[in-house]
Structures are given as C-alpha cells and as structure tokens.
Amino acid sequence: MNNNGKKPVNFFKKSADRIKKKADRIYHDYDEKRARRDIIFTETIHKKEEPKEERVLVRSGIDIQFLVTVIALLAFGAMMSFSASHFYAEDMYGDSFYFLKHYIFFALIATAGTAFFVVYANPRFWKMFSFGVYGLSVVMLLLVLVIGTSGGGAQRWIEVGPITIQPSEIAKMAVIMMLALYMSHYQKEISSDHVFGGSVRHGVISPGLIIGIIIVLVMLEKHISGVMIIGMIGIAVMYLGGTKTKWIFLIFGVIAFAGAFLILVSSYAQDRVYTWLFIEQVDPLGSAWQTLQGLYAIGSGGIFGLGLGNSRQKYGYVSQPQNDFIFTIICEELGFVGAVLILSLFGFLIWRGFKIASRASDRFSQLVAYGLTVKLALQVILNIAVVTNSMPNTGISLPFFSSGGTALAVQIFEMGIILSISRYSSKKV
C-alpha cells in the first residue's frame, strides 16, 4: 500500500491489456477482409433461389429452303438412279426400271409417313421417340443375327414380306437421338469439374455405353463402314453435348490404337489398305478393279460430261453402278459442272441444317439437328473420299443417290425430324 492507502499500479498488466486490445483490433480487421473475399463467409446456408426464366414454345412454318433442297436432291437422286442402273437392272432383273421403281416406292412411302410427323410432332414427342427408336434398333440388330439374310459375306438385312430392312441404318439415327436426350438431361454434370462423378461418368462412360451397345451389335454383322460411321457420329454428338476436349482426344487415341491393331491382325483390312496405298501395283482385274473403273469414269467426264445416260463405265465396268460408286457415273455423265452442282446442294443443305440447329427451341432439339446434319455431311464426305481413292474402300453410300430402300427412307425421315425442329422456337413470357 502507498501513503494514500491505494494498491500500487501494475505496469505490466496495463501493458498486456493494451497489447491484447490492439491484437483484437488487428484480428477483427483481418476477419472482415477475409469475410468479404471468402465464399465460405459470404454464402448463406439457405440459398435464395433466383427466379427461373419462363419460356414457351412458339410454332411457326417449316424451313422452306431446307425443304426445297431436299426435294431437289431427291429429284436428282431418282434421275441418276435410273441413268446409272438401267443396264445392270435389265441384265439382272429383266427390267431396266427396277431400281427406279424401287427408289420411287421407298421415297413416296417415307415422304408420306414423314409428313405426318413434320406437321404434328413437337420436341416433347421426339424425346419419347428417342427411347423407342433406340430400343427398336437393339431388338432389330439382335434379330439380324438370328434370322437375318446374308449378302456379300455379311448378315445385315431382315426380310419383311417383299421389303428388306437394314437395321444398322435405323441404329445410326437412334444413337444420335438417344445421345442427344441423355446429354441434354445431364448437361451440368457433363461440364462439371468433378471428374469421376461428373465429366467422366456422364460425359464419357454413359454416352460410351449408348454408342458401344450399338457398335458391338453392328460389328457382329461384319459391317465395318457402319461401325465407323456410328463411332464418328457418336463422338461428334458427345463433343457438341459438352464432353471435355481432353476426353475426346483420349477417345480418338483409343480408336486409332484399335484401328491399327485391327489392320495388324486382319488380312482383309491389310488388303484394303494396301490396295489404297499402292493401287498401281495391285492386280487391276482383282481388288483394284472397282476403284480403278470409278476413277476412269470420273476422269472421262471432263468439264461438262458425256451427257445424261451416256456413261460407258456403267456397262459392266463399275460393278453395281447404282450403289456406292454412283458418284463416279454422275461425274462421267454430268462432268465437273454436274458434280459441283450436286455437292453444292449438299453443302447448302448441311449449312441450313446447322442454321436450324443453332435456332432450335431447346438443347435436345439442338443436338438432334446438329447430329443428323453431321451424319449427312460425314456420309457425303466419306463416299466422295472412297470413290476418289482418298481413303480405303469401305462401302459407304451417297445419301439420296445410292440404291437402298431402308437407307433412303431413313434419310428422308431424318430430314423430316430437322424440318419438325425448324418449326419450333422459344420465347420469354
């Protein structure tokens, strides 16, 4: 106690209090700064949901430019189908109009059936249709293996009365629509940064199963070109649907490895590749015959061609000229000008298809329109590449031109789906 009766002041205690107060202020300031920049401190436990933007479907007219282009290609296809096939049809069936009748029959049946869906079907219907056509494809591909008819060393067709159906053509469309449905439904998961629960599972594994089931069944038919087209279309839709680029490159790497392995173990594949690379050294009367005769036809057409119906190569040189190598007859009869005209029609149709897809009312419709247009573009490019010997001969048909009832009917129906999609858009309400 001091002389005044008070306790002595504890100097050290006061200093400690001051230091503590200063530290509290510093920590408080730091805590506020951290709270302003850290989501953990700023995000509320119960998020306030933002009001969803409501949109409604608006129906309008079909894309007339797309429709007119399809009609023009069908008219050209019918004309060239007859011109290329009349000698072969007379020789094989005793009726020079055999393939023209076949073409017109399937075109009319498919057009009549498709018109109904163009007028009445909406995006909701096409979503339900995706499940049905995919399931139907699987069943039909299984039936081919049991009761299918064979031809050219492959078992690919089912006979239903007078009609022969090739299920792999329906399966191509089914893969596109089922992938579009799946990838539009899981769009957020596909683009997420969570690898195994998101981008890999929903962006690679599940779409891969959708494609893989069909590919395995088509492989059992020994339909290599069908496997190739389905795989390429599937990867294209996966990419458009949001699968990350790194996984797309990984898939391409696996496919390249599998292709190289197939060539190494398959003498048939080795022969095809050797013929393609060294066609001048291959027996011109053997495996090189079809390709060489097609190249002769293209070269002899010149600028303006020999004239419609005046092909020489279709008289027993280009085998089955109405089929995969019909473009060579087009070049011979209509020349460079005719070939450019037909390719321009295809180019315009593809451009309009992409345009319709970009304006589609929803993600599903967009992916379907893109996928079907990519399928058309791929088949045109691959067919031209085969007949010009830019790639090995794999038996790929030219849409709207090559003979084949199922293929033609499905192509018309696919164009109808795109036209149906073109009728719908969405707007805010």
Side-chain angles (χ1 to χ4, degrees):
M1 305 264 312
N2 58 14
N3 294 335
N4 297 327
K6 295 180 180 179
K7 292 182 180 180
V9 177
N10 190 332
F11 174 78
F12 294 104
K13 186 176 181 300
K14 287 185 176 181
S15 297
D17 290 341
R18 284 197 298 272
I19 292 171
K20 184 176 181 299
K21 288 179 180 177
K22 191 171 183 179
D24 286 343
R25 283 198 301 272
I26 292 172
Y27 179 79
H28 182 266
D29 292 343
Y30 169 76
D31 196 47
E32 282 190 345
K33 289 178 182 178
R34 184 172 62 173
R36 283 195 293 269
R37 68 174 181 265
D38 196 330
I39 191 170
I40 294 175
F41 291 90
T42 58
E43 194 175 55
T44 58
I45 295 174
H46 302 288
K47 286 187 180 179
K48 195 174 185 180
E49 290 189 4
E50 295 181 3
K52 290 183 179 179
E53 184 183 81
E54 290 191 23
R55 306 183 73 88
V56 293
L57 278 178
V58 178
R59 189 170 70 175
S60 57
I62 60 174
D63 190 297
I64 297 298
Q65 296 177 65
F66 189 90
L67 175 62
V68 170
T69 310
V70 170
I71 293 172
L73 282 168
L74 286 170
F76 261 117
M79 178 180 73
M80 291 311 305
S81 177
F82 173 69
S83 181
S85 69
H86 69 85
F87 172 78
Y88 179 79
E90 180 69 35
D91 184 53
M92 292 296 295
Y93 302 100
D95 180 4
S96 59
F97 291 91
Y98 177 84
F99 287 102
L100 178 62
K101 293 175 183 176
H102 189 262
Y103 188 102
I104 292 174
F105 172 77
F106 276 96
L108 290 177
I109 293 295
T111 301
T114 301
F116 175 84
F117 293 100
V118 172
V119 173
Y120 294 105
N122 58 26
R124 182 178 295 178
F125 168 82
W126 292 121
K127 288 181 180 180
M128 294 185 293
F129 178 82
S130 301
F131 282 109
V133 74
Y134 187 85
L136 177 65
S137 298
V138 172
V139 172
M140 292 181 74
L141 288 171
L142 288 170
L143 284 174
V144 167
L145 302 176
V146 180
I147 62 170
T149 57
S150 301
Q155 189 168 324
R156 303 176 188 171
W157 299 271
I158 297 175
E159 290 185 355
V160 182
I163 299 174
T164 302
I165 300 172
Q166 188 173 3
S168 58
E169 292 297 330
I170 301 171
K172 294 173 188 176
M173 175 180 67
V175 166
I176 292 170
M177 300 196 73
M178 194 64 187
L179 277 177
L181 182 64
Y182 179 86
M183 303 198 80
S184 60
H185 184 74
Y186 289 101
Q187 185 177 355
K188 289 183 179 178
E189 289 83 353
I190 291 168
S191 60
S192 75
D193 293 327
H194 186 20
V195 177
F196 294 105
S199 62
V200 170
R201 177 186 170 189
H202 294 290
V204 179
I205 296 174
S206 296
L209 287 173
I210 293 171
I211 302 167
I213 291 170
I214 298 295
I215 280 183
V216 168
L217 293 173
V218 174
M219 281 182 69
L220 293 174
E221 298 180 1
K222 299 179 182 179
H223 191 181
I224 302 303
S225 62
V227 169
M228 183 172 66
I229 291 173
I230 290 168
M232 294 175 73
I233 293 168
I235 292 172
V237 176
M238 286 171 64
Y239 177 74
L240 292 167
T243 298
K244 293 181 182 295
T245 307
K246 60 181 178 181
W247 305 127
I248 296 293
F249 280 122
L250 179 63
I251 293 168
F252 272 121
V254 172
I255 292 172
F257 176 80
F261 179 76
L262 177 65
I263 293 171
L264 288 173
V265 301
S266 171
S267 58
Y268 175 78
Q270 289 172 16
D271 290 343
R272 285 293 181 97
V273 173
Y274 186 83
T275 300
W276 169 53
L277 293 175
F278 307 103
I279 193 167
E280 68 281 354
Q281 301 175 19
V282 180
D283 180 10
L285 301 178
S287 59
W289 172 265
Q290 179 81 327
T291 301
L292 285 174
Q293 297 305 317
L295 292 173
Y296 294 155
I298 293 172
S300 63
I303 299 296
F304 299 104
L306 302 178
L308 184 64
N310 293 330
S311 165
R312 294 186 289 262
Q313 295 301 112
K314 66 187 178 185
Y315 291 100
Y317 296 99
V318 174
S319 56
Q320 297 192 38
Q322 79 287 348
N323 214 330
D324 302 339
F325 272 64
I326 192 171
F327 187 73
T328 65
I329 307 303
I330 293 171
C331 292
E332 187 181 13
E333 294 190 349
L334 304 182
F336 178 78
V337 173
V340 168
L341 173 61
I342 288 171
L343 291 179
S344 297
L345 285 172
F346 275 121
F348 184 78
L349 186 68
I350 291 163
W351 175 73
R352 288 307 303 176
F354 286 144
K355 200 77 173 174
I356 290 168
S358 68
R359 297 172 177 174
S361 61
D362 59 279
R363 183 65 171 164
F364 165 76
S365 299
Q366 189 177 61
L367 288 176
V368 169
Y370 272 128
L372 294 177
T373 305
V374 167
K375 173 182 176 286
L376 174 70
L378 272 175
Q379 290 206 202
V380 172
I381 292 168
L382 293 176
N383 178 268
I384 304 303
V386 165
V387 301
T388 56
N389 200 39
S390 301
M391 65 175 285
N393 191 342
T394 53
I396 296 171
S397 62
L398 183 65
F400 304 115
F401 286 85
S402 295
S403 174
T406 306
L408 178 62
V410 171
Q411 286 154 12
I412 291 172
F413 190 74
E414 289 170 346
M415 298 303 101
I417 293 173
I418 297 175
L419 281 171
S420 173
I421 289 171
S422 75
R423 298 188 69 203
Y424 289 91
S425 60
S426 63
K427 72 174 186 178
K428 299 177 186 179
V429 292

